[in-house]
Amino acid sequence: MAILTINLNSDEKLIADIPLNRELQLWKTIAIALNSIDEDERDCTLCIDEHSFQLTYYLSELIYSQYQHYFL
């Protein structure tokens, strides 16, 4: 199980427990997202366990919507 944390802005922090059978798909989604945006567009932080990534607000919301039923 992986812990997914999304910081959409300074006062909104979302935390989810992602089961193992969905974790690989989450990693693929993040890899695709990282390859599709420029570094200066990244304004949200997304973490999986101890790994941290900078994504756009739009992509962070998209990931949230795909995994929303796992969030606490």
Side-chain angles (χ1 to χ4, degrees):
M1 185 165 294
I3 304 296
L4 171 63
T5 306
I6 300 176
N7 295 315
L8 293 176
N9 55 43
S10 61
D11 62 342
E12 191 172 7
K13 186 176 187 176
L14 308 168
I15 300 172
D17 290 325
I18 306 299
L20 287 175
N21 63 337
R22 298 285 295 172
E23 188 176 348
L24 181 58
Q25 183 60 41
L26 175 61
W27 281 106
K28 287 179 184 178
T29 302
I30 291 170
I32 291 168
L34 289 172
N35 285 326
S36 68
I37 56 174
D38 294 327
E39 288 209 22
D40 59 339
E41 297 175 329
R42 300 175 186 188
D43 54 3
C44 292
T45 304
L46 185 142
C47 303
I48 301 176
D49 295 330
E50 69 277 354
H51 306 285
S52 183
F53 309 97
Q54 291 293 114
L55 297 177
T56 65
Y57 188 87
Y58 170 77
L59 289 171
S60 296
E61 278 195 331
L62 183 66
I63 290 171
Y64 170 77
S65 69
Q66 290 177 346
Y67 296 93
Q68 68 185 11
H69 52 286
Y70 297 114
F71 283 86
L72 308 172

